[in-house]
Amino acid sequence: MTFKLTRRAALQGMLAGGSLLATMRAFPAMAQAVGGTLRIGLTYEIDTMNPYSTGFLGDAQAAVLEGLLAPNSEAVYVPVLATEVPTIENGGIMLSADGTKMDITYKLREGVTWSDGTPFTSADVAYTWEAVKNPTFVAESKDGSQDIDSIETPDPLTVICHYNTVKPNFASTLFTFGIMPKHIIENTDLNTSAFNETPIGTGPYVVKEFVRGQYVVMDRNPTYWAKAENGDALPYIERLVFHMLPDTNTLITQLQSGELDMVVQVPYSRASQVEGIDRVEIVRGPLLSWQHLDFNFRVPSLADINVRKAIAHGINREVMIRAQGGYPQAIKSLVVPVFDLYNPDTPEYPYDPALANKLLDDAGYVRGGDGIREKDGVRMSYQFMVQAGRADDENAQQVIIALLKQIGIEATANNQTGVAYREARYKGGYDLIYGRWITSADPVYSTFYGTGGENNGQGYSNPTLDAAFTKMENSLDPAVRKDAAFEMQRIIAEDIPAIALISNVAVIAKVKTLKNFVPNPTNMTNFVDTKAWYIES
Amino acid sequence: MSLSYILRRLLGAVPLLLGISLILFTIIHLAPGGPLDMYLDNPAVSREALDQIAARYGLDQPLPIQYLLWLKSMLVGDWGYSIRTSRPVIVEILGRVGPTLQLGGAALLLSLLIAIPLGTLSAARRGTALDSTVTLASFVGISTPVFWMALLLQLFFSVYLGWLPSAGYQTIGDGSLMDRLLHMIMPVVILSLATIASWSRFIRSGMVDVLNQDYIRTAYAKGRGEKGVMVFHALRNALIPAVTVIAVDFGTVISGAVITETVFAWPGMGRLFMESMDGRDYPMLMGLMMLGSVGIILANIFADLTYAALDPRIRYG
């Protein structure tokens, strides 16, 4: 019993962000044996098993197809089908003489086979690139395929990618989503191929049955390459079943009746219900997403740093969090704390309405008869946009509107969806905008706040910040990148093009008998590393 | 009732369907959002990639052109491709028709078997405690939200008693007749509740009207027993107004039961509609709704034919 407690404490400690992985390894769990079924409830209908074209995060896909690299529970890339993460130091990354291009060499793991028995080779890697790049293949996850000019495969276990640019975040694109088997998909149309329903992968699980609108059954891959430290064949769990259950009530009923063992995204509003179920426990996992309030710099008063500072002091994150059931976490930087690039010394603006009011008074914004401030005859009244129909965001918007009113600023909801929202976001068709970004484990931040950045609809431009972005996004040296990232966070906090407000968490419900489960915060989902999970009998 | 009448009705349905398709197309595009919204939170999906996907599905064309393109391919039997799954719309729909017909058919059958006797009995015993009970139960049945009733049944039969599976079409690896029947019980009951309630009301009021007619008194005067009068004289006449309602309900079966199928994770058309609506999968939505419209039009023609069969005074030429 004591032992059990220790391990649980270790797990919780790790979830809290501490890195006690080493401790856990020192106490290998008992009674790990092959067997059992894990039944997982998904609220969406799986559209395709192809990780490149699915419109959702690839929960089920991640257990079948493996990438060369994968992000671990701390959002750090680790090797999977490659033997190491290429870096300058280990010779995996070679910069061209003029420093504008790079070659990345992957050494592939030996003895890996596809689940149909065919050996996995460098030809599969090269073909995956060609297939994804192919313009007739409709997929949204093509990021990175255009950055490679050619791929060389000198031997079955070596892949050399010739990049036409320097891309420090190469790991978050292309080969991480999964390598596809050349011998299966060659000469097929990947838009309609049977591969999209019953893919062949190298991963720990093999799809046995995909019934649309109902479930995906996958069984343990008996020839999976990875072994546990004690020599056990992996994975432990015999069968994973992904049930597609669109109704949240039904999901929770099934957790209660014992028909489901795990739900990876319990809505905040339902979490307390799940807490009451005996056989189930809740694990909170961090997510690489952040909610932000952006300013449109074309509005003169918002281009005034005093106003942005006052707004930053005027927002109470605690109220926003309470309005969402207490689950999100307050943040101060757009780099969420899971990342090692997170700068803990980022300046923050504590909630202080008195100070906010003083800042605005001092800057010459005086309250009119209706309590709303104005300067030079212009009222502080703003059009405030969120994506219409998104309950959590609309909720947060109402909180922000009420808080702004306290400091004499009027914000009026002007919510849009679809093309209208997207275009407004790209072109700055708003004064204030509140929304979220969900990123990979290695995001490019210049797209949001860099001059001319694709997602910078605010018209914001700051040469010092641009310099930090350039340094960060073009360097392959981890120390330089970290310095630049720290500087970027400091500049953003000081100049406030946007306020990072809260970060979401994944509320995961799982049976208590599922052990060794560690949540993964990245877009590769919790199922990117299932091999060590086991069910205690 | 002649064959030429049926043929004329079917021909008349063509312009009707055209009009419906135009209205549906307009309405689904009026709904906020679009099929590319699901990529909105991901900064790695570039504007270019979105434009490419839009072009692939013709979403970059002006709406009238999009409609004409859809109509053109529909006329040659091409239902288009689902934006969500990249698979042909017709293939997606065919995969869902079976479960929907199974669920809807069973529910309609159950409703008929219960609603007709219930409505008749209620009218025959008008004003008694039985009538009041049935009336009260009908109103409760009509007013109870489906999702709430479903949740109660799930909690009682699946969580508390553990007798029935709470959702799904079949147990994985089982799929025997018994297993499927067990999965059907709750959704069929839920789907039937409202129809039983409304149909029994229609039949009751039809019966009440008829029972005041002279020919009923005549039938009694001839010495016919109550059962005979009810079934052969009253019910047949009382059914005529009810047939319209029942027939239209039959027609809607083909479009699937959105809420019931969603709550019970039933892999039918209603749920496909829901998923397609969430993803603004326009080709899929158009296909589903056109099929539903055809169902309702056919049901109406069928209702008219049934009038003639029930009432010899009605003749179509």
mmCIF file of all heavy atoms in Angstrom, chain B residues 218-240:
data_model
loop_
_atom_site.group_PDB
_atom_site.id
_atom_site.type_symbol
_atom_site.label_atom_id
_atom_site.label_comp_id
_atom_site.label_asym_id
_atom_site.label_seq_id
_atom_site.Cartn_x
_atom_site.Cartn_y
_atom_site.Cartn_z
ATOM 1 N N THR B 218 -76.986 4.550 -36.058
ATOM 2 C CA THR B 218 -77.649 3.561 -36.912
ATOM 3 C C THR B 218 -77.032 2.183 -36.705
ATOM 4 O O THR B 218 -77.736 1.184 -36.581
ATOM 5 C CB THR B 218 -77.510 3.956 -38.393
ATOM 6 O OG1 THR B 218 -77.901 5.319 -38.526
ATOM 7 C CG2 THR B 218 -78.348 3.077 -39.276
ATOM 8 N N ALA B 219 -75.685 2.162 -36.661
ATOM 9 C CA ALA B 219 -75.006 0.879 -36.498
ATOM 10 C C ALA B 219 -75.390 0.219 -35.182
ATOM 11 O O ALA B 219 -75.674 -0.986 -35.139
ATOM 12 C CB ALA B 219 -73.494 1.081 -36.548
ATOM 13 N N TYR B 220 -75.445 1.072 -34.143
ATOM 14 C CA TYR B 220 -75.876 0.513 -32.849
ATOM 15 C C TYR B 220 -77.309 0.005 -32.956
ATOM 16 O O TYR B 220 -77.652 -1.060 -32.459
ATOM 17 C CB TYR B 220 -75.807 1.583 -31.752
ATOM 18 C CG TYR B 220 -74.434 1.729 -31.116
ATOM 19 C CD1 TYR B 220 -73.739 2.929 -31.150
ATOM 20 C CD2 TYR B 220 -73.852 0.641 -30.459
ATOM 21 C CE1 TYR B 220 -72.496 3.072 -30.578
ATOM 22 C CE2 TYR B 220 -72.604 0.782 -29.864
ATOM 23 C CZ TYR B 220 -71.932 1.989 -29.925
ATOM 24 O OH TYR B 220 -70.717 2.113 -29.334
ATOM 25 N N ALA B 221 -78.181 0.809 -33.654
ATOM 26 C CA ALA B 221 -79.595 0.476 -33.760
ATOM 27 C C ALA B 221 -79.799 -0.851 -34.489
ATOM 28 O O ALA B 221 -80.694 -1.623 -34.185
ATOM 29 C CB ALA B 221 -80.346 1.592 -34.482
ATOM 30 N N LYS B 222 -78.836 -1.094 -35.471
ATOM 31 C CA LYS B 222 -78.937 -2.353 -36.218
ATOM 32 C C LYS B 222 -78.631 -3.538 -35.309
ATOM 33 O O LYS B 222 -78.806 -4.682 -35.677
ATOM 34 C CB LYS B 222 -77.914 -2.368 -37.365
ATOM 35 C CG LYS B 222 -78.376 -1.589 -38.581
ATOM 36 C CD LYS B 222 -77.537 -1.929 -39.805
ATOM 37 C CE LYS B 222 -76.062 -1.802 -39.517
ATOM 38 N NZ LYS B 222 -75.211 -1.998 -40.697
ATOM 39 N N GLY B 223 -78.092 -3.239 -34.134
ATOM 40 C CA GLY B 223 -77.792 -4.293 -33.177
ATOM 41 C C GLY B 223 -76.340 -4.731 -33.188
ATOM 42 O O GLY B 223 -75.981 -5.770 -32.635
ATOM 43 N N ARG B 224 -75.474 -3.931 -33.836
ATOM 44 C CA ARG B 224 -74.062 -4.279 -33.862
ATOM 45 C C ARG B 224 -73.450 -4.031 -32.476
ATOM 46 O O ARG B 224 -73.742 -3.010 -31.844
ATOM 47 C CB ARG B 224 -73.357 -3.391 -34.904
ATOM 48 C CG ARG B 224 -71.930 -3.798 -35.155
ATOM 49 C CD ARG B 224 -71.711 -4.130 -36.607
ATOM 50 N NE ARG B 224 -70.598 -5.077 -36.648
ATOM 51 C CZ ARG B 224 -69.813 -5.232 -37.695
ATOM 52 N NH1 ARG B 224 -70.045 -4.579 -38.788
ATOM 53 N NH2 ARG B 224 -68.840 -6.110 -37.659
ATOM 54 N N GLY B 225 -72.585 -4.893 -32.045
ATOM 55 C CA GLY B 225 -71.964 -4.751 -30.713
ATOM 56 C C GLY B 225 -70.960 -3.603 -30.689
ATOM 57 O O GLY B 225 -70.584 -3.064 -31.744
ATOM 58 N N GLU B 226 -70.510 -3.221 -29.514
ATOM 59 C CA GLU B 226 -69.641 -2.060 -29.400
ATOM 60 C C GLU B 226 -68.325 -2.261 -30.157
ATOM 61 O O GLU B 226 -67.858 -1.375 -30.870
ATOM 62 C CB GLU B 226 -69.353 -1.744 -27.936
ATOM 63 C CG GLU B 226 -68.690 -0.366 -27.820
ATOM 64 C CD GLU B 226 -68.178 -0.064 -26.437
ATOM 65 O OE1 GLU B 226 -68.144 -0.968 -25.588
ATOM 66 O OE2 GLU B 226 -67.782 1.090 -26.212
ATOM 67 N N LYS B 227 -67.742 -3.441 -30.017
ATOM 68 C CA LYS B 227 -66.463 -3.703 -30.696
ATOM 69 C C LYS B 227 -66.593 -3.520 -32.194
ATOM 70 O O LYS B 227 -65.773 -2.873 -32.853
ATOM 71 C CB LYS B 227 -66.002 -5.128 -30.396
ATOM 72 C CG LYS B 227 -64.976 -5.185 -29.268
ATOM 73 C CD LYS B 227 -64.415 -6.587 -29.140
ATOM 74 C CE LYS B 227 -63.938 -6.829 -27.710
ATOM 75 N NZ LYS B 227 -63.928 -8.254 -27.347
ATOM 76 N N GLY B 228 -67.658 -4.102 -32.735
ATOM 77 C CA GLY B 228 -67.878 -4.032 -34.184
ATOM 78 C C GLY B 228 -68.048 -2.600 -34.632
ATOM 79 O O GLY B 228 -67.472 -2.160 -35.637
ATOM 80 N N VAL B 229 -68.825 -1.845 -33.870
ATOM 81 C CA VAL B 229 -69.063 -0.445 -34.247
ATOM 82 C C VAL B 229 -67.744 0.324 -34.220
ATOM 83 O O VAL B 229 -67.402 1.055 -35.151
ATOM 84 C CB VAL B 229 -70.074 0.206 -33.272
ATOM 85 C CG1 VAL B 229 -70.194 1.693 -33.562
ATOM 86 C CG2 VAL B 229 -71.429 -0.469 -33.387
ATOM 87 N N MET B 230 -67.005 0.114 -33.153
ATOM 88 C CA MET B 230 -65.755 0.860 -32.985
ATOM 89 C C MET B 230 -64.779 0.571 -34.124
ATOM 90 O O MET B 230 -64.272 1.474 -34.783
ATOM 91 C CB MET B 230 -65.089 0.491 -31.646
ATOM 92 C CG MET B 230 -65.768 1.086 -30.440
ATOM 93 S SD MET B 230 -65.617 2.871 -30.454
ATOM 94 C CE MET B 230 -66.881 3.296 -29.288
ATOM 95 N N VAL B 231 -64.548 -0.695 -34.357
ATOM 96 C CA VAL B 231 -63.499 -1.057 -35.305
ATOM 97 C C VAL B 231 -63.945 -0.837 -36.748
ATOM 98 O O VAL B 231 -63.222 -0.237 -37.544
ATOM 99 C CB VAL B 231 -63.042 -2.512 -35.073
ATOM 100 C CG1 VAL B 231 -62.030 -2.922 -36.134
ATOM 101 C CG2 VAL B 231 -62.487 -2.674 -33.673
ATOM 102 N N PHE B 232 -65.182 -1.266 -37.111
ATOM 103 C CA PHE B 232 -65.552 -1.247 -38.525
ATOM 104 C C PHE B 232 -66.262 0.029 -38.958
ATOM 105 O O PHE B 232 -66.201 0.406 -40.109
ATOM 106 C CB PHE B 232 -66.407 -2.472 -38.858
ATOM 107 C CG PHE B 232 -65.648 -3.761 -38.693
ATOM 108 C CD1 PHE B 232 -65.847 -4.572 -37.576
ATOM 109 C CD2 PHE B 232 -64.713 -4.134 -39.640
ATOM 110 C CE1 PHE B 232 -65.134 -5.733 -37.414
ATOM 111 C CE2 PHE B 232 -63.995 -5.303 -39.474
ATOM 112 C CZ PHE B 232 -64.194 -6.105 -38.358
ATOM 113 N N HIS B 233 -66.933 0.685 -38.053
ATOM 114 C CA HIS B 233 -67.650 1.893 -38.448
ATOM 115 C C HIS B 233 -66.925 3.158 -38.025
ATOM 116 O O HIS B 233 -66.779 4.080 -38.817
ATOM 117 C CB HIS B 233 -69.070 1.875 -37.864
ATOM 118 C CG HIS B 233 -69.907 0.759 -38.407
ATOM 119 N ND1 HIS B 233 -70.766 0.924 -39.462
ATOM 120 C CD2 HIS B 233 -69.966 -0.544 -38.049
ATOM 121 C CE1 HIS B 233 -71.337 -0.245 -39.727
ATOM 122 N NE2 HIS B 233 -70.873 -1.156 -38.886
ATOM 123 N N ALA B 234 -66.487 3.184 -36.797
ATOM 124 C CA ALA B 234 -65.899 4.426 -36.279
ATOM 125 C C ALA B 234 -64.436 4.596 -36.672
ATOM 126 O O ALA B 234 -64.051 5.600 -37.274
ATOM 127 C CB ALA B 234 -66.040 4.479 -34.760
ATOM 128 N N LEU B 235 -63.616 3.595 -36.347
ATOM 129 C CA LEU B 235 -62.165 3.760 -36.521
ATOM 130 C C LEU B 235 -61.795 4.067 -37.963
ATOM 131 O O LEU B 235 -60.984 4.940 -38.237
ATOM 132 C CB LEU B 235 -61.432 2.499 -36.029
ATOM 133 C CG LEU B 235 -59.918 2.579 -36.070
ATOM 134 C CD1 LEU B 235 -59.402 3.711 -35.182
ATOM 135 C CD2 LEU B 235 -59.280 1.261 -35.617
ATOM 136 N N ARG B 236 -62.410 3.353 -38.894
ATOM 137 C CA ARG B 236 -62.049 3.541 -40.296
ATOM 138 C C ARG B 236 -62.252 4.990 -40.723
ATOM 139 O O ARG B 236 -61.441 5.576 -41.428
ATOM 140 C CB ARG B 236 -62.880 2.596 -41.162
ATOM 141 C CG ARG B 236 -62.443 2.632 -42.592
ATOM 142 C CD ARG B 236 -62.982 1.491 -43.393
ATOM 143 N NE ARG B 236 -62.702 1.731 -44.795
ATOM 144 C CZ ARG B 236 -63.150 0.965 -45.763
ATOM 145 N NH1 ARG B 236 -63.882 -0.100 -45.480
ATOM 146 N NH2 ARG B 236 -62.843 1.240 -47.005
ATOM 147 N N ASN B 237 -63.350 5.578 -40.265
ATOM 148 C CA ASN B 237 -63.613 6.977 -40.618
ATOM 149 C C ASN B 237 -62.727 7.935 -39.829
ATOM 150 O O ASN B 237 -62.309 8.971 -40.346
ATOM 151 C CB ASN B 237 -65.079 7.304 -40.358
ATOM 152 C CG ASN B 237 -65.960 6.657 -41.396
ATOM 153 O OD1 ASN B 237 -65.890 6.999 -42.568
ATOM 154 N ND2 ASN B 237 -66.748 5.679 -40.973
ATOM 155 N N ALA B 238 -62.453 7.556 -38.597
ATOM 156 C CA ALA B 238 -61.656 8.437 -37.749
ATOM 157 C C ALA B 238 -60.204 8.484 -38.198
ATOM 158 O O ALA B 238 -59.483 9.435 -37.930
ATOM 159 C CB ALA B 238 -61.734 7.974 -36.303
ATOM 160 N N LEU B 239 -59.783 7.450 -38.911
ATOM 161 C CA LEU B 239 -58.371 7.375 -39.306
ATOM 162 C C LEU B 239 -57.994 8.406 -40.361
ATOM 163 O O LEU B 239 -56.840 8.796 -40.468
ATOM 164 C CB LEU B 239 -58.056 5.979 -39.841
ATOM 165 C CG LEU B 239 -57.629 4.937 -38.799
ATOM 166 C CD1 LEU B 239 -57.343 3.610 -39.480
ATOM 167 C CD2 LEU B 239 -56.415 5.400 -38.033
ATOM 168 N N ILE B 240 -59.003 8.837 -41.157
ATOM 169 C CA ILE B 240 -58.669 9.699 -42.299
ATOM 170 C C ILE B 240 -57.874 10.935 -41.885
ATOM 171 O O ILE B 240 -56.796 11.185 -42.427
ATOM 172 C CB ILE B 240 -59.939 10.066 -43.099
ATOM 173 C CG1 ILE B 240 -60.480 8.776 -43.711
ATOM 174 C CG2 ILE B 240 -59.628 11.079 -44.185
ATOM 175 C CD1 ILE B 240 -61.807 8.925 -44.390
#
